[in-house]
Amino acid sequence: MDKLSALGMKVATNMGGIYLGDQRFDQLMEEWNRRGAMVIIHPCRARLRPENVITGTVAAIYEYPADTTRAVLNMIANRTMTRFPDIRWVVPHCGSFLPYMLQRFTGVSGILASMGMMETVDVQAEFEKLYFDIAGDLEPVQLDMLRMVTDDSHIVYGSYFPHSPAGVILTKKKHFDGNEKYDGLREQIYKDNAAALLQRKGDFAK
């Protein structure tokens, strides 16, 4: 970041089985926070995965979105976003399973906190600091689900290249561009939200 003027970095959901949100990463988080860094999360395989089932064999079906969800829930449980408020987090793939898990985790975390199994955490306060890209299969379901749990201003474009072939990405983009229900949203996703997110660096850099 000092030598190349990088705005941030991409980071894996887990590193050797240690997930984002783990306090062993706090020193790194403190430095990212000091710099107001943008950090894009990307899934990798969990250390342990089921064998002889299709979801364990082809990671893109389940393991990748599951690992993204696992990492972000761990960050929420450990109050990563409020403890390090100047890091700009981008979660991939329309939030993976988070639109479904948010309400469930809110309820379960309250029960666990009452039992002394975790600290009390304001799940919504943590979640609302996150940004999300639309890489992957945004239509016809995922983008609509994401919009149910986050503000439109927190959604940015992501192509998922080179993990998806260019032809597939262009086909999905053409379909998205032709969907009239997103006529008032595309400019935000393609340009405005990303510009606002990038400008935040000047506000937070120490």
Side-chain angles (χ1 to χ4, degrees):
M1 295 179 72
D2 289 337
K3 295 180 180 180
L4 301 177
S5 299
L7 298 177
M9 67 291 297
K10 181 178 284 188
V11 63
T13 47
N14 82 85
M15 283 125 291
I18 304 173
Y19 279 83
L20 294 174
D22 192 293
Q23 292 185 1
R24 284 172 282 187
F25 292 134
D26 277 4
Q27 187 175 1
L28 180 60
M29 299 292 171
E30 288 169 2
E31 181 62 17
W32 286 348
N33 191 67
R34 184 184 71 82
R35 293 172 177 269
M38 181 171 63
V39 181
I40 300 172
I41 299 171
H42 194 271
C44 62
R45 287 183 181 271
R47 173 176 285 186
L48 299 176
R49 63 182 188 272
E51 297 181 356
N52 300 320
V53 292
I54 189 64
T55 57
T57 303
V58 183
I61 296 175
Y62 175 82
E63 292 298 326
Y64 287 161
D67 218 59
T68 298
T69 304
R70 185 179 295 116
V72 176
L73 291 181
N74 198 51
M75 293 166 65
I76 292 173
N78 288 284
R79 299 186 299 107
T80 298
M81 278 64 73
T82 55
R83 289 194 299 126
F84 306 104
D86 293 347
I87 301 175
R88 297 164 292 160
W89 295 99
V90 180
V91 182
H93 309 141
C94 289
S96 294
F97 299 152
L98 287 165
Y100 167 76
M101 287 300 302
L102 181 62
Q103 182 177 350
R104 181 179 178 87
F105 187 71
T106 299
V108 172
S109 66
I111 295 171
L112 296 179
S114 70
M115 299 170 63
M117 298 178 66
M118 64 174 286
E119 293 184 11
T120 299
V121 59
D122 186 336
V123 174
Q124 188 59 42
E126 300 293 325
F127 189 84
E128 68 184 14
K129 295 180 179 296
L130 300 171
Y131 286 76
F132 304 87
D133 74 35
I134 63 169
D137 296 304
L138 68 160
E139 297 184 272
V141 175
Q142 286 184 275
L143 180 55
D144 288 346
M145 289 179 62
L146 177 62
R147 296 180 72 196
M148 293 176 69
V149 296
T150 194
D151 190 84
D152 285 346
S153 65
H154 280 231
I155 304 173
V156 297
Y157 180 71
S159 69
Y160 209 37
F161 183 82
H163 304 289
S164 288
V168 172
I169 293 169
L170 291 173
T171 298
K172 292 179 180 179
K173 183 179 182 299
K174 182 178 180 181
H175 189 267
F176 180 58
D177 289 345
N179 192 332
E180 294 181 356
K181 75 175 180 179
Y182 298 125
D183 283 351
L185 183 62
R186 279 190 296 273
E187 191 75 3
Q188 276 187 273
I189 289 178
Y190 283 149
K191 183 181 70 174
D192 296 343
N193 294 342
L197 178 60
L198 292 173
Q199 288 173 359
R200 287 185 60 201
K201 181 177 185 294
D203 297 332
F204 291 145
K206 304 297 191 293

